[in-house]
Amino acid sequence: RPFIDTVEKAQAVVEEINHTAKAEGKKPIVFITMATENVRAVVTSKDCTGVVMDMFRTFVEPLEHEFGMKSNHRVGRFSDAAKSEEYNERIEAINFSLAHDDGQSSKNLASADVILVGVSRCGKTPTTLYLAMQHGIKAANYPLIPEDFERGHLPSTLAPYKAKCFGLTIDPERLTQIRNERRPQSKYAALDNCRYEVREAEAMMKRNGIAWLSSTHKSIEEIAATILRDIRPDKLI
């Protein structure tokens, strides 16, 4: 519940907490980061039936004591994003990833930090966007298709940038489920076809020395952390 910055909004949240507690027969666990004292007092009062964990009092007050100085409990202390170099880098990276999604453009691939390769629907697009939005990584993604497997080598567009490539693969059974949501009962989604594409894609990546991992049981965050560890460990710091 963002922007709880008035007593009235806090009272509405308390009503929601109390309603949930009554409906479910359990105390809701409530984490708060409220800077204004009178607003915070509403949620931490006895009228609230939730278990309230005050993040500011838990972490900020011990730091105030340690540093011998009082924090400025002021709402909205955000820096001007437009003046932030890191913010502008992330915006530039997002635009790059959108322009280079699904192999739709090969322009400026030399400036990519990483190029994700793999069969269609194995998680390339959400991973590239996460890398761009969270870490400012210029990530392109390029699908490996049956025609590539028939030729037996990476697409010519990727050949000069093989060192920047990182592969994603996926369990064929999971892939057929995902593809059936998009194109049910199609050859594209057929289990035999998915097995073929995954097998050939993994063999191609292995032949070309491209590191890869399976997205089947990994979150986007885990995949991104693995990629960063290999290509831009500085971004993990």
Side-chain angles (χ1 to χ4, degrees):
R1 299 295 179 267
F3 308 119
I4 306 301
D5 50 10
T6 67
V7 169
E8 291 74 20
K9 290 180 181 179
Q11 289 171 339
V13 167
V14 169
E15 289 178 6
E16 182 181 0
I17 293 168
N18 293 346
H19 174 76
T20 302
K22 184 177 181 180
E24 298 186 2
K26 297 178 181 178
K27 291 184 177 181
I29 308 299
V30 183
F31 296 92
I32 66 170
T33 54
M34 296 175 175
T36 307
E37 186 59 41
N38 63 331
V39 176
R40 178 167 60 181
V42 174
V43 182
T44 57
S45 70
K46 293 181 179 180
D47 293 333
C48 179
T49 56
V51 179
V52 180
M53 313 293 286
D54 191 328
M55 305 301 283
F56 281 170
R57 284 184 172 168
T58 300
F59 296 105
V60 175
E61 290 186 2
L63 288 172
E64 290 176 333
H65 176 75
E66 181 66 25
F67 295 145
M69 59 191 301
K70 193 73 175 174
S71 65
N72 184 347
H73 287 25
R74 181 164 63 85
V75 175
R77 295 191 67 194
F78 296 101
S79 59
D80 187 347
K83 297 179 181 178
S84 167
E85 182 178 348
E86 181 182 353
Y87 178 81
N88 290 328
E89 284 180 355
R90 284 194 289 133
I91 295 299
E92 185 179 347
I94 292 169
N95 289 332
F96 181 90
S97 295
L98 289 172
H100 295 81
D101 180 43
D102 210 24
Q104 61 183 318
S105 173
S106 58
K107 187 178 180 180
N108 298 327
L109 279 180
S111 63
D113 293 306
V114 64
I115 303 169
L116 296 187
V117 297
V119 299
S120 172
R121 310 301 288 179
C122 69
K124 300 185 300 301
T125 294
T127 302
T128 53
L129 290 177
Y130 180 86
L131 286 167
M133 294 175 69
Q134 295 296 321
H135 299 284
I137 291 290
K138 289 183 177 180
N141 74 76
Y142 205 99
L144 297 178
I145 58 177
E147 286 80 359
D148 297 321
F149 308 141
E150 293 170 7
R151 287 190 291 264
H153 56 75
L154 282 175
S156 57
T157 301
L158 297 180
Y161 311 109
K162 188 163 63 174
K164 295 185 176 187
C165 290
F166 192 98
L168 292 184
T169 187
I170 188 171
D171 182 80
E173 283 73 18
R174 176 59 182 150
L175 181 61
T176 194
Q177 292 175 355
I178 296 171
R179 288 184 173 185
N180 265 306
E181 292 175 2
R182 187 179 186 185
R183 299 182 192 171
Q185 307 303 318
S186 64
K187 179 182 177 182
Y188 168 77
L191 181 57
D192 286 346
N193 182 62
C194 290
R195 285 173 175 163
Y196 165 75
E197 288 192 28
V198 169
R199 182 177 66 250
E200 292 298 316
E202 290 179 358
M204 181 175 288
M205 290 186 283
K206 188 175 181 179
R207 286 197 305 271
N208 287 275
I210 296 173
W212 52 274
L213 60 80
S214 174
S215 63
T216 308
H217 301 296
K218 291 187 181 296
S219 66
I220 297 299
E221 293 84 355
E222 289 177 294
I223 297 170
T226 301
I227 295 170
L228 290 175
R229 182 195 64 194
D230 287 0
I231 66 162
R232 288 293 300 272
D234 58 297
K235 289 289 187 176
L236 288 173
I237 301 174

